[in-house]
Amino acid sequence: MLKHILVPIDGSLMAEAALPVAALLAEKLKARVTLIHVVERDAPDEVHGQPHLKRPQDAEDYLREVAKRSFSKQVEVECHVHTNEVDDVAASIVDHANELSLDLVVMCSHGRGAALHLFLGSIAQKVIARGTTPVLITHPDAEGKPPAFACRHILVPLDDDPEHAESLPVSREIAKACGSTLHLAFVIPDLGTLSGETALASRMLPGTTKRALELTTQDAERYFRELEEGLLREGFQASAHVLRGDPAKVIVEAAQLPEIDLVILGTHGRTGMDAFWSGSVAHRICSQSRVPLLLVPVGKG
């Protein structure tokens, strides 16, 4: 159950891009929110063009002002300033997420390319790798401001790893609360988009590999048909699509469709983190799309 949301903000307008998402989800899920600011040791004077909050009282005043203007009166909002200066802001956020028994962390990515990689590596990666708390990553709009957020259509990529289906309960909870349509997507490579050992095998046994991919497609279509029918019986609006091509490319393209408001993706975090942050589907979605991405740690039960 998503009943407690943590929103780390540093005082910058860019970081406030997380607020519209947190506000809507808190209201729809009837969840409480904790806004947190961690005082950094030897912090720079500015962060993303705004004065850096170095004094605890300034940070407290700022969080209370943000709470008043960003959330409806129906949402319970707590403000917390970690006054002990720290060197590792990311680690402090992780500690608070664990200490407060958070259900969801909502944060903004601070850039693209190398800057994005560093940000995700230092904060979101640690939250996911060290715990079981889902992390929702947002982006500022083209002007660097908080964008409006709706949650009408949710994209849920799945594959042949059954643990990735652990993202479905969170997807269902959010879709039910927001009245969203769930779009399930399963992408199967074709001969031209295989990689690694499978690509080598396909060159040696192209006929066998092609047949194996066809059988995988049939199994996926059967599995997705059952998932879709089950969701429809439960009253959800849902669609399920089995697609062919390079999985990362197809999912990234789907995530950039105008109607998609949120992508929910399972990640193994600790076991697959190196590959995850160096170029997998999730990192490519973050790098190439401004759609919010909810990462759900899986396989940690």
Side-chain angles (χ1 to χ4, degrees), residues 111-122 125 274 277-279 283 287:
R112 295 190 177 202
L116 173 63
H117 179 83
L118 289 174
F119 175 81
L120 294 180
S122 65
Q125 176 181 351
D274 290 341
W277 295 112
S278 63
H283 185 70
S287 301

Side-chain angles (χ1 to χ4, degrees), residues 65-100:
E65 186 272 329
V66 167
K68 185 176 180 180
R69 66 175 159 85
S70 301
F71 296 88
S72 70
K73 294 181 179 179
Q74 287 73 36
V75 177
E76 178 186 348
V77 183
E78 301 173 3
C79 299
H80 176 71
V81 177
H82 186 71
T83 56
N84 294 330
E85 295 184 355
V86 301
D87 295 310
D88 190 340
V89 174
S92 181
I93 292 173
V94 170
D95 291 341
H96 282 85
N98 294 331
E99 179 183 343
L100 299 173

Side-chain angles (χ1 to χ4, degrees), residues 22-290:
L24 184 140
L25 291 180
E27 187 169 335
K28 297 293 186 180
L29 293 164
K30 296 180 172 54
R32 61 191 177 102
V33 174
T34 295
L35 301 177
I36 185 173
H37 176 76
V38 178
V39 178
E40 184 179 2
R41 183 176 289 113
D42 299 324
D45 292 332
E46 292 188 351
V47 56
H48 309 296
Q50 281 86 46
H52 205 145
L53 298 173
K54 298 182 178 181
R55 296 176 59 249
Q57 187 58 55
D58 292 340
E60 182 73 28
D61 294 341
Y62 166 72
L63 292 183
R64 293 193 181 283
E65 186 272 329
V66 167
K68 185 176 180 180
R69 66 175 159 85
S70 301
F71 296 88
S72 70
K73 294 181 179 179
Q74 287 73 36
V75 177
E76 178 186 348
V77 183
E78 301 173 3
C79 299
H80 176 71
V81 177
H82 186 71
T83 56
N84 294 330
E85 295 184 355
V86 301
D87 295 310
D88 190 340
V89 174
S92 181
I93 292 173
V94 170
D95 291 341
H96 282 85
N98 294 331
E99 179 183 343
L100 299 173
S101 299
L102 274 302
D103 303 309
L104 176 65
V105 177
V106 180
M107 60 177 64
C108 175
S109 68
H110 285 50
R112 295 190 177 202
L116 173 63
H117 179 83
L118 289 174
F119 175 81
L120 294 180
S122 65
I123 297 182
Q125 176 181 351
K126 289 184 179 179
V127 175
I128 295 168
R130 295 183 184 182
T132 58
T133 306
V135 179
L136 199 161
I137 302 167
T138 69
H139 297 266
D141 64 18
E143 298 179 355
K145 298 178 180 179
F149 177 69
C151 196
R152 295 162 299 213
H153 294 271
I154 300 173
L155 175 65
V156 186
L158 297 170
D159 56 23
D160 56 0
D161 184 341
E163 289 185 337
H164 286 156
E166 293 176 24
S167 66
L168 283 173
V170 172
S171 304
R172 290 153 60 98
E173 181 177 356
I174 293 176
K176 184 176 182 179
C178 298
S180 314
T181 299
L182 287 170
H183 301 280
L184 310 181
F186 193 124
V187 184
I188 298 171
D190 48 37
L191 285 177
T193 57
L194 291 169
S195 60
E197 294 181 358
T198 309
L200 178 61
S202 72
R203 289 193 290 270
M204 299 177 62
L205 300 167
T208 301
T209 304
K210 182 179 180 181
R211 178 56 180 162
L213 291 172
E214 290 173 351
L215 292 174
T216 300
T217 301
Q218 293 174 11
D219 290 341
E221 289 174 343
R222 186 181 310 110
Y223 168 59
F224 259 35
R225 186 163 53 250
E226 293 173 355
L227 275 180
E228 182 181 21
E229 290 173 352
L231 290 168
L232 292 173
R233 282 196 301 270
E234 293 176 37
F236 287 96
Q237 300 177 72
S239 67
H241 310 274
V242 177
L243 308 171
R244 298 296 298 270
D246 174 69
K249 181 179 179 181
V250 172
I251 293 300
V252 167
E253 290 175 351
Q256 296 184 80
L257 293 174
E259 61 267 25
I260 298 300
D261 301 304
L262 175 66
V263 179
I264 301 180
L265 187 66
T267 172
H268 284 92
R270 191 167 303 171
T271 57
M273 192 55 70
D274 290 341
F276 176 85
W277 295 112
S278 63
S280 75
V281 175
H283 185 70
R284 288 173 66 174
I285 292 173
C286 283
S287 301
Q288 301 175 30
S289 171
R290 291 188 175 271

